[in-house]
Amino acid sequence: MFQQEDYDVIVVGAGHAGCEAAAAAANMGSKVLLVTMNMNTIAQMSCNPAMGGVAKGQIVREVDALGGQSGIITDKTMIQFRMLNRSKGPAMWSPRAQSDRMRFAEEWRLTLEQTLNVDFWQEAVTGIVVENDTVVGVKTALGIEFRGKSVVLTNGTFLNGLIHIGEKQFGGGRAAEKGSTGITEQLKELGFEAGRMKTGTPPRVDGRSLDYSKMEEQAGDAEPGKFSYLDTPSLVKQRPCYITYTNAEVHEILKEGFEKSPMFQGRIKGLGPRYCPSVEDKINRFADKDRHQIFVEPEGWSTVEVYVNGFSSSLPEDVQYRALRKIAGFENAKMFRPGYAIEYDFFPPTQLHLTLETKLIQNLYFAGQINGTTGYEEAACQGLMAGINAHNKVHGKQPFILKRSEAYIGVLIDDLVNKGTDEPYRMFTSRAEHRLLLRQDNADLRLTPLGHALGLASDERMDRVREKEQQTQEIAKLLKNFAIEPQEINGWLTEIGSAVISEKTRAVNLLRRPNVDLPALARVLPGLTLALAPYRPEALEQAEILVKYESYLEKEHQQAARVQELENFVIQGRLDYRAMPALSHEAREKLLKIQPETLGQASRISGVSPADVSVLMVYLGR
Ligand SMILES: Cc1cc2nc3c(=O)[nH]c(=O)nc-3n(C[C@H](O)[C@H](O)[C@H](O)COP(=O)(O)OP(=O)(O)OC[C@H]3O[C@@H](n4cnc5c(N)ncnc54)[C@H](O)[C@@H]3O)c2cc1C
């Protein structure tokens, strides 16, 4: 037997999902083997070198709060940080970082190499080994069989990957990397359903060939934030991004390439991400728009390569090149790599339990892009959850499932498993019905206690959360008691166009006004500044949000508790929905297929109506 160990968890693929899965399972004490095709591309960012963004930034913070690594690695390797949506309410604030692509991958590899319990093997996995409907290992191209108690598949865009550039098409999992064959075919034989999706990426150019004076500079935040709740380094120096636009000339050249477009000529069959369309798709669909925004993003500290965000294309490379050079600032652009589209296999995620274990084969988990999602953040959080659950299962522990009211991660997995997806699924704040509760500022309060109980989040993290909780309570109390005299504040209130006060008023009442925030209030009131001096900035921010939005948050908590009543109603075992004639035909079919684990889950399956839920309640004895 070759280099044989009895692994607890074998992770296939070292993308964002695979890295988090391996790190989580190993940090919880599992013996892990990470098998990946190419150890030089561990944690490769296939598309843009950026982490976070709207709703995605919240996910990275949740991963961090649970004890995952993506936030720490992003903090260590970012070149720019911005908090998006600052002008909106705190539920919409979303951290986003521009990363150094090479440093990001390097830091992940370093992290994994320093994680006890992770072994590596570089090779393509061609299939899984199954005995009695349970996975017991994987097979590789060299014919090696590795045995493991559980397997997490995270093959990303590699399964039967097919790359398109104009009329050219060739097999590959990503530019310059081989695709993966065998796994889909075997899983189909085992009874899995597979589908096809598509995604694309823009060309990369030489930054030295661009004229930035013709573009708008987009600087990072003056006081850059971070993703991790731990003491990761703060950014002292940042690299700017730039904004420019396509124009009529660019559009005309791109249109010349339409007859060779794999998308418009029907060679691409898979559905692509609706919210990340190619530039040809944009000019075709929005023909009345005379320009589209292009974000010019550096790929790192020490490279001249630049990512042309907004110009994703699978048109012939010469068309991409000619069109690019008509963009302001790109007149002399030299292209390093053309944009391309890729089609790949995915497995409709309704075939999974909420733990990401497959319903067909025990101890087999799927995570990341193969579940029909798109994005590093979506992949990373699934990897984390699959790694945790694989570890728990092989150690006889309880499944770890996050509720929709607890985390975006809970929303994502619940959506995937109950509703499935036929186009690449990305997270939006609008997908979360309790988004007021799921903020980037409180992911640690929501999730670190859970991560700590799992044995994943460290004692240090937990101590910080306790301290933040305690300080937040103290500050909230202080703000409710701190009295302000009219003469202390009315001058400033008049200045900012807010109504003056006629009598002594508590700080909390002023904070509830839309144009008053705590730092500004403290600047005007030296007494308040003094009282708040002992507290940490994150506790001050938390307390401000809690008192400012107290009544909204209370309502949201009540709403979440009501929904939870259905969630607590566990459906034991497999029910024979065919024997429930009062259910609608569609509900019977969907319930049979998805086999929900709670009444709440059943209620969210599309096609299961409130009337069907009532039937189930009666049947289950309620
Ligand atoms: C061209 C392109 C464009 C994209 N555009 C966007 C975009 O615009 N927006 C967006 O949000 N996301 C985009 N993505 C998606 C983003 O890259 C993925 O969502 C993310 O990387 C998925 O992470 P993952 O861990 O699931 O898989 P990946 O990052 O794809 O990692 C898969 C890993 O598995 C390994 N592997 C695969 N098969 C095997 C095997 N059989 N044996 C061993 N190892 C194997 C690979 O080597 C790799 O390490 C794009 C991806 C590509 C390729």
Side-chain angles (χ1 to χ4, degrees):
M1 204 70 86
F2 178 79
Q3 202 171 303
Q4 190 57 280
E5 302 229 12
D6 197 10
Y7 289 104
D8 294 315
V9 183
I10 298 179
V11 177
V12 179
H16 308 266
C19 289
E20 283 290 0
N27 283 328
M28 289 171 76
S30 272
K31 181 96 192 94
V32 174
L33 175 68
L34 178 56
V35 193
T36 194
M37 276 183 171
N38 182 350
M39 286 187 60
N40 296 334
T41 60
I42 287 177
Q44 182 76 247
M45 297 175 127
S46 317
C47 197
N48 69 329
M51 284 294 272
V54 177
K56 289 164 167 271
Q58 283 84 327
I59 292 181
V60 180
R61 297 217 89 189
E62 290 180 355
V63 166
D64 183 73
L66 284 166
Q69 302 297 320
S70 293
I72 299 172
I73 286 163
T74 306
D75 286 352
K76 287 184 177 170
T77 61
M78 63 187 168
I79 62 174
Q80 190 196 77
F81 180 94
R82 290 195 307 132
M83 184 65 81
L84 308 182
N85 286 336
R86 265 272 185 212
S87 58
K88 300 185 181 164
M92 299 302 287
W93 298 357
S94 306
R96 181 193 190 271
Q98 196 66 34
S99 295
D100 181 315
R101 182 192 298 283
M102 286 182 282
R103 286 273 306 109
F104 183 91
E106 184 186 24
E107 197 61 48
W108 246 123
R109 177 158 172 173
L110 204 66
T111 300
L112 288 167
E113 286 181 3
Q114 288 170 350
T115 304
L116 291 178
N117 297 333
V118 179
D119 285 353
F120 297 87
W121 184 251
Q122 172 178 292
E123 222 202 315
V125 166
T126 50
I128 55 171
V129 185
V130 179
E131 290 169 5
N132 302 322
D133 293 335
T134 305
V135 72
V136 293
V138 298
K139 280 178 299 204
T140 72
L142 278 175
I144 302 168
E145 197 174 300
F146 289 100
R147 305 284 289 189
K149 298 189 184 85
S150 67
V151 171
V152 183
L153 288 185
T154 70
N155 303 73
T157 52
F158 285 69
L159 297 178
N160 292 313
L162 185 64
I163 292 176
H164 298 262
I165 305 178
E167 289 178 310
K168 295 164 204 149
Q169 58 184 58
F170 47 92
R174 200 158 46 192
E177 289 181 61
K178 275 192 193 162
S180 161
T181 51
I183 292 179
T184 309
E185 295 70 19
Q186 183 196 13
L187 290 178
K188 276 181 169 169
E189 266 173 35
L190 287 167
F192 284 92
E193 199 188 314
R196 206 80 173 132
M197 280 184 176
K198 169 250 160 186
T199 187
T201 197
R204 318 299 202 256
V205 299
D206 184 339
R208 294 167 300 186
S209 64
L210 303 183
D211 181 354
Y212 293 106
S213 68
K214 295 186 177 163
M215 310 179 198
E216 296 159 31
E217 185 176 315
Q218 191 183 43
D221 285 356
E223 286 176 37
K226 292 190 305 181
F227 281 92
S228 181
Y229 292 95
L230 291 176
D231 270 336
T232 44
S234 295
L235 262 184
V236 275
K237 194 173 70 158
Q238 301 190 63
R239 280 197 76 172
C241 297
Y242 293 85
I243 296 174
T244 183
Y245 297 89
T246 62
N247 54 48
E249 245 188 314
V250 176
H251 297 186
E252 278 318 304
I253 295 173
L254 289 172
K255 279 183 199 160
E256 283 170 28
F258 278 14
E259 60 185 22
K260 292 186 179 165
S261 157
M263 215 167 51
F264 298 147
Q265 302 308 324
R267 286 191 295 281
I268 292 181
K269 305 277 186 307
L271 260 181
R274 177 190 303 250
Y275 307 98
C276 229
S278 63
V279 65
E280 53 266 31
D281 212 14
K282 284 189 274 195
I283 61 174
N284 191 41
R285 271 179 21 207
F286 310 108
D288 53 326
K289 275 196 92 176
D290 51 14
R291 65 176 202 172
H292 294 280
Q293 207 167 31
I294 302 288
F295 294 93
V296 181
E297 302 175 341
E299 294 240 344
W301 288 118
S302 48
T303 173
V304 296
E305 192 163 359
V306 164
Y307 180 89
V308 191
N309 194 346
F311 204 81
S312 171
S313 181
S314 57
L315 293 176
E317 64 283 1
D318 60 310
V319 176
Q320 297 182 30
Y321 177 71
R322 282 189 293 120
L324 260 185
R325 285 193 151 212
K326 297 294 176 195
I327 296 175
F330 279 69
E331 293 80 359
N332 298 307
K334 289 187 182 168
M335 204 154 92
F336 277 179
R337 316 177 198 214
Y340 65 93
I342 182 165
E343 283 183 284
Y344 54 91
D345 296 336
F346 80 104
F347 300 99
T350 47
Q351 303 173 95
L352 302 174
H353 293 292
L354 290 166
T355 54
L356 300 181
E357 185 182 13
T358 68
K359 290 173 183 168
L360 267 177
I361 303 291
Q362 290 205 57
N363 297 6
L364 175 65
Y365 295 77
F366 291 170
Q369 193 105 353
I370 63 164
N371 286 338
T373 59
T374 174
Y376 310 136
E377 305 78 2
E378 288 84 348
C381 73
Q382 288 175 67
L384 179 79
M385 295 299 281
I388 292 171
N389 277 306
H391 168 89
N392 276 2
K393 177 107 193 259
V394 300
H395 289 89
K397 295 185 179 164
Q398 287 298 310
F400 181 63
I401 294 165
L402 289 168
K403 301 181 195 106
R404 294 181 73 91
S405 56
E406 273 175 335
Y408 274 97
I409 302 175
V411 174
L412 181 132
I413 295 178
D414 190 73
D415 276 353
L416 290 178
V417 169
N418 291 322
K419 299 182 187 149
T421 184
D422 47 19
E423 60 181 272
Y425 177 105
R426 70 156 285 184
M427 185 47 79
F428 294 106
T429 49
S430 56
R431 296 199 194 265
E433 56 278 48
H434 304 297
R435 62 180 167 277
L436 232 52
L437 306 179
L438 309 184
R439 304 183 313 273
Q440 61 83 30
D441 59 84
N442 69 356
D444 54 343
L445 304 177
R446 290 185 272 126
L447 300 176
T448 297
L450 303 178
H452 188 249
L454 283 169
L456 184 57
S458 62
D459 291 345
E460 184 196 351
R461 277 188 188 277
M462 197 54 218
D463 290 345
R464 279 171 168 257
V465 166
R466 288 196 190 103
E467 189 192 345
K468 181 169 163 183
E469 264 169 349
Q470 161 116 26
Q471 290 200 359
T472 302
Q473 280 168 17
E474 285 174 20
I475 301 163
K477 199 165 153 203
L478 189 151
L479 293 172
K480 285 180 181 171
N481 291 328
F482 193 91
I484 304 165
E485 297 288 351
Q487 67 272 19
E488 289 181 279
I489 198 79
N490 279 347
W492 179 70
L493 288 176
T494 311
E495 230 174 78
I496 62 164
S498 198
V500 294
I501 53 173
S502 53
E503 56 189 30
K504 212 186 213 186
T505 302
R506 309 274 170 205
V508 66
N509 294 327
L510 290 179
L511 271 176
R512 287 186 181 138
R513 296 185 178 187
N515 50 353
V516 175
D517 63 43
L518 188 55
L521 202 60
R523 270 196 298 276
V524 188
L525 301 166
L528 187 57
T529 304
L530 203 65
L532 297 177
Y535 297 110
R536 293 172 70 99
E538 58 270 28
L540 290 168
E541 181 188 63
Q542 195 58 214
E544 179 180 5
I545 293 170
L546 292 190
V547 299
K548 202 173 174 79
Y549 302 99
E550 193 170 20
S551 61
Y552 299 100
L553 292 172
E554 236 164 55
K555 264 191 222 135
E556 199 61 49
H557 277 296
Q558 285 165 5
Q559 178 75 17
R562 272 199 297 277
V563 173
Q564 189 54 36
E565 284 171 21
L566 282 185
E567 294 309 323
N568 292 340
F569 208 128
V570 177
I571 301 175
Q572 301 284 2
R574 288 177 78 88
L575 291 189
D576 186 6
Y577 295 102
R578 276 169 303 214
M580 298 181 204
L583 287 174
S584 70
H585 181 69
E586 187 182 358
R588 263 203 303 275
E589 262 186 12
K590 297 268 175 70
L591 289 163
L592 265 173
K593 185 173 171 196
I594 292 174
Q595 291 286 337
E597 287 156 43
T598 66
L599 214 47
Q601 195 189 340
S603 71
R604 288 189 298 278
I605 298 172
S606 68
V608 176
S609 67
D612 294 317
V613 175
S614 304
V615 172
L616 284 178
M617 283 176 116
V618 172
Y619 183 86
L620 292 166
R622 281 275 171 115

